[in-house]
Amino acid sequence: MAQASVTRRYRFCAAHRLHTDQLSPAENVAAFGKCNNPNGHGHNYVVLVTVKSTVPTATSKGVDLDQLDRTVGQQVITRFDHQDLNQDPEFADLTTTGENLVLLIWDLLVKHLPDGQLEKVGLIETRDNYFEYAGEARHAPVLREGRHG
Ligand code: NI
């Protein structure tokens, strides 16, 4: 049976501030620039979720997109939409960079989707910043990347 992929697009709005207690205030400013502003700032995030499918045939209808929508809605959109990402428990010891966020979204989805179905997660943070993760070996946290402007 032919293998294809399908990508669905989702959106949420959230606030964050790039900051880590592992650096001094001056080092935080040096690392993150205006993204370290104490008042934070917001993004209209776009999440692109790619799952393996099968080309629909007379006996197979392909991936269940309604189920995918429910899973992404419950695990990702409800959790982050109109929230301050820095208050999320998963970010207690991690900066809210696009890298860390796309890894977290992968982790939240992969355990609630059928085995082997999730292929890639993309995250658009700004006009010019796009992050993606395709689930290689267990990832290490990214502490200081992700400055944007
Ligand atoms: Ni930002």
Side-chain angles (χ1 to χ4, degrees), residues 71 104-118:
T71 300
L104 174 58
I105 291 171
W106 170 279
D107 284 350
L108 293 172
L109 291 178
V110 74
K111 56 191 172 196
H112 289 97
L113 291 172
D115 267 359
Q117 189 185 74
L118 186 60

Side-chain angles (χ1 to χ4, degrees), residues 17-141:
R17 178 194 182 202
L18 295 182
H19 180 86
T20 173
D21 292 335
Q22 298 180 21
L23 298 177
S24 71
E27 288 170 330
N28 268 288
V29 170
F32 301 124
K34 66 183 181 184
C35 300
N36 185 242
N37 176 341
N39 292 326
H41 60 275
H43 295 288
N44 297 315
Y45 289 96
V46 175
V47 183
L48 299 165
V49 179
T50 301
V51 293
K52 292 189 177 77
S53 186
T54 49
V55 175
T57 65
T59 55
S60 166
K61 69 181 184 64
V63 71
D64 184 343
L65 292 179
D66 291 336
Q67 184 194 33
L68 181 64
D69 288 354
R70 277 194 300 276
T71 300
V72 176
Q74 291 165 0
Q75 300 301 319
V76 177
I77 308 304
T78 301
R79 178 171 180 148
F80 296 131
D81 192 36
H82 287 74
Q83 300 298 314
D84 177 354
L85 299 179
N86 291 56
Q87 301 304 315
D88 189 285
E90 287 292 332
F91 286 114
D93 300 313
L94 281 178
T95 46
T96 51
T97 60
E99 292 91 336
N100 286 331
L101 185 54
V102 78
L103 295 178
L104 174 58
I105 291 171
W106 170 279
D107 284 350
L108 293 172
L109 291 178
V110 74
K111 56 191 172 196
H112 289 97
L113 291 172
D115 267 359
Q117 189 185 74
L118 186 60
E119 194 165 280
K120 187 166 73 181
V121 175
L123 178 71
I124 300 171
E125 185 188 53
T126 66
R127 186 192 65 184
D128 299 328
N129 280 1
Y130 171 71
F131 305 88
E132 67 176 34
Y133 184 64
E136 275 97 47
R138 182 64 195 172
H139 50 79

